Amino acid sequence: MHHQRKKIALIGGGQIGQNLAMLAAMKELGDVVILDVAEYVNPVKGKALDLMEMAPHGNYDANITGTGDYKDLEGADVVIITAGKPRQAGMTREDLLATNIAIIKSVAEGIKQYAPKAFCIVVTNPLDAMVYAFYKLTGFPKNQVVGMAGTLDTARWRAFISMELGVSVEDIAGTVLGGHGPTMVPLPRLTTVGGVPLPEIATKEQIDKLVTRTREAGTEIVKFFGKGSAFFSPAWSAIIM
């Protein structure tokens, strides 16, 4: 019996959006629709076609399409929202607020109209504010709207510990609380390396350095890029949610 494939809608087909499309297809999570505004509709259609042509070697079955029309979101099981301007060097996430709130407003209206039952994951910065705005604008129940950042911040924390101590990321379990930005709180005591609490393995100086680096992780990458922000790690973080 042929079971109906899940439908995953991606709002925004930029760096994070295209990586989400590729990862969702490779993991065969479902069919993928990439939606973007008028000037990017042809590029997302091209990206969708490119991913369809990767399928024979990628060994996956998924229907991947690009669109500019919210109607094509109909019946989506999951919607991941990456639309919005990324940071540039010297900008805080908050500097994006005015621009991206306007974008989130139109996204919320489109999703509310065509995919009101979808589970929504928000990736757009400033993350915490955008999740809240989207939740308020849609009026969706709170268990239907989440932000992606907790998984990302924890991944960064674990990655930096691995790099600092020279141990496998697979042996590191960690917890990071708080907002996606300066209010972030990595918890060393609740972080273990091979089952041993981090403070028993790393010095206070190392831990302080790791906490600061995790808090500033996004900014560190923005400085390298100059224009734009991280995309591989945020995409994976949204996918594994």
Side-chain angles (χ1 to χ4, degrees), residues 8-235:
I8 299 153
L10 308 174
I11 314 297
Q15 292 276 37
I16 298 181
Q18 68 187 17
N19 273 289
L20 284 170
M22 183 170 83
L23 293 168
M26 288 172 72
K27 287 178 149 296
E28 293 196 294
L29 299 179
D31 291 331
V32 178
V33 179
I34 314 167
L35 180 141
D36 218 318
V37 290
E39 61 178 306
Y40 297 120
V41 169
N42 278 337
V44 295
K45 286 184 171 174
K47 288 174 182 185
L49 191 54
D50 198 1
L51 285 166
M52 290 295 282
E53 292 165 21
M54 177 176 141
H57 288 323
N59 219 0
Y60 54 81
D61 262 315
N63 195 32
I64 305 156
T65 50
T67 186
D69 191 342
Y70 276 93
K71 268 212 291 293
D72 295 328
L73 264 53
E74 213 138 25
D77 297 281
V78 177
V79 178
I80 308 178
I81 300 139
T82 66
K85 295 265 182 287
R87 287 200 281 168
Q88 303 207 355
M91 288 176 85
T92 67
R93 292 182 175 93
E94 280 52 50
D95 291 337
L96 300 171
L97 189 61
T99 310
N100 286 353
I101 204 105
I103 294 169
I104 279 286
K105 195 169 191 299
S106 66
V107 169
E109 282 161 15
I111 294 172
K112 194 174 176 176
Q113 188 174 351
Y114 292 106
K117 292 274 176 278
F119 181 72
C120 301
I121 302 171
V122 182
V123 182
T124 305
N125 270 321
L127 195 278
D128 304 284
M130 288 298 135
V131 176
Y132 188 72
F134 181 84
Y135 161 64
K136 281 299 193 200
L137 289 162
T138 54
F140 287 172
K142 64 176 187 289
N143 57 353
Q144 202 179 323
V145 179
V146 298
M148 157 291 304
T151 48
L152 174 58
D153 297 333
T154 303
R156 286 169 165 169
W157 172 238
R158 287 172 58 201
F160 296 148
I161 293 168
S162 151
M163 288 153 68
E164 176 69 26
L165 301 180
V167 294
S168 165
V169 286
E170 291 176 27
D171 293 330
I172 302 164
T175 307
V176 178
L177 299 178
H180 186 51
T183 59
M184 193 187 301
V185 189
L187 299 174
R189 206 169 43 81
L190 297 180
T191 298
T192 58
V193 180
V196 181
L198 183 63
E200 292 176 27
I201 294 177
T203 64
K204 183 173 184 321
E205 291 71 38
Q206 282 178 309
I207 291 174
D208 289 346
K209 188 172 78 174
L210 289 164
V211 167
T212 303
R213 190 173 185 190
T214 303
R215 212 170 267 159
E216 295 293 320
T219 305
E220 186 180 354
I221 289 178
V222 170
K223 281 180 186 156
F224 279 121
F225 287 164
K227 293 180 187 318
S229 53
F231 49 90
F232 293 124
S233 51

